[in-house]
């Protein structure tokens, strides 16, 4: 019963202290180390209130002793809490220190990554310039590329012979000749076609047609030369070599020859010179 009275009395004192105007408010700072002075100050204030209260009354010795014992227990609890606060404060400092070290490490790594990225960009730029130089060179772009013709003479004179890189002064072209040739279908009809797939989007500079060297060189007449869908030249006389200088800004993926007369297409070699390859988006 006495303990209940003591607790009630202690509660009254605490409520009186809390309702007072001179109560010390907890600090707003979230730093745990700053909470200890607050608790210590509150304990001293509470003890003074208790001594003052019991010095005015009579016959309350036992009750005062019990209340003081409770105050000591509260004081011990506060001390343990202070120790815990100090421990948490130390851990907080360790966490902050670790975070700062981690931030510095990340900053250093980021700076290193930024430097490496800059070096890589410089290398890519240099490679890009070299590629542009290589692409700008006018060179042979048709040799050994894929070819097709809609008909083939005697199933022997295939379209691939037109881009095999073999063109000599030997005037014989049939059988086991060292100067093979391409020749379209055995039935002379309009519309014989020979196509060369360049394998990329190139800027076309010059197209050369190497005619056969014997008496059948007339088959070159009537041939039309296209780059994709654009007409770039035509054959209307007999020559041993035809050079077609293409107009500037002509680009394409395929070069094909179309015979406009009732006769075959027949050449020793076809050469396409140009630069690239490019992307259509670059134009």
């Amino acid at each position: 019963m006495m303990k209940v009275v003591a607790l009630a009395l202690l509660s009254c004192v605490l409520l009186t202290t809390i309702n007072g105007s001179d109560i010390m408010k907890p600090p707003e700072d979230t730093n745990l180390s700053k909470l200890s002075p607050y608790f210590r100050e509150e304990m001293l204030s509470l003890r003074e209130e208790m001594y003052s209260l019991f010095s005015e009354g009579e016959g309350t010795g036992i009750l005062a002793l019990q209340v003081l014992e409770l105050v000591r227990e509260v004081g011990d609890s506060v001390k343990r809490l202070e120790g815990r606060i100090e421990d948490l404060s130390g851990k907080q400092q360790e966490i902050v220190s670790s975070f700062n070290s981690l931030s510095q490490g990340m900053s250093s790594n980021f700076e290193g990554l930024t430097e490496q990225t800059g070096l890589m960009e410089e290398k890519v730029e240099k490679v890009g310039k070299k590629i542009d130089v290589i692409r700008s060179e006018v060179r042979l772009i048709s040799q050994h590329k894929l070819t097709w013709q809609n008909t083939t003479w005697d199933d022997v004179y295939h379209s691939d012979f037109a881009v095999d890189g073999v063109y000599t002064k030997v005037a014989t072209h049939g059988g086991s000749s060292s100067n093979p040739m391409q020749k379209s279908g055995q039935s002379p009809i309009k519309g014989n076609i020979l196509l060369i797939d360049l394998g990329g989007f190139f800027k076309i500079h010059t197209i050369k047609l190497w005619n056969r060297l014997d008496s059948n060189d007339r088959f070159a007449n009537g041939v039309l030369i296209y780059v994709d869908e654009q007409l770039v030249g035509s054959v209307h006389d007999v020559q041993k070599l035809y050079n077609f200088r293409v107009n500037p800004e002509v680009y394409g993926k395929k070069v094909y020859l179309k015979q406009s007369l009732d006769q075959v297409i027949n050449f020793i070699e076809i050469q396409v010179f140009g630069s690239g390859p490019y992307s259509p988006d670059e134009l």
Side-chain angles (χ1 to χ4, degrees), residues 19-86:
N19 292 329
S21 60
D22 59 344
I23 184 172
M24 180 179 179
K25 295 183 179 180
E28 296 181 356
D29 198 330
T30 57
N31 192 331
L32 295 176
S33 62
K34 294 184 178 181
L35 292 176
S36 296
Y38 164 74
F39 285 118
R40 188 177 295 109
E41 184 69 22
E42 286 297 304
M43 281 299 303
L44 293 175
S45 176
L46 177 61
R47 185 172 296 177
E48 291 176 359
E49 292 286 340
M50 294 297 299
Y51 279 122
S52 174
L53 177 65
F54 291 117
S55 62
E56 297 174 358
E58 296 180 358
T60 59
I62 297 175
L63 178 62
L65 291 175
Q66 292 180 343
V67 172
L68 288 176
E69 183 64 24
L70 291 176
V71 172
R72 291 192 187 95
E73 292 178 1
V74 173
D76 293 339
S77 299
V78 170
K79 290 180 180 180
R80 289 194 296 270
L81 180 60
E82 288 178 347
R84 182 60 176 167
I85 290 175
E86 291 180 358

Side-chain angles (χ1 to χ4, degrees), residues 208-227:
K208 292 186 177 184
L209 306 180
W210 295 81
N211 200 3
R212 59 188 298 170
L213 302 176
D214 57 14
S215 59
N216 292 318
D217 54 4
R218 66 186 184 281
F219 293 133
N221 276 324
V223 170
L224 306 176
I225 302 97
Y226 292 84
V227 174

Side-chain angles (χ1 to χ4, degrees), residues 4 40 91 96 102 251:
V4 174
R40 188 177 295 109
K91 291 181 179 180
V96 172
L102 180 61
Y251 294 80

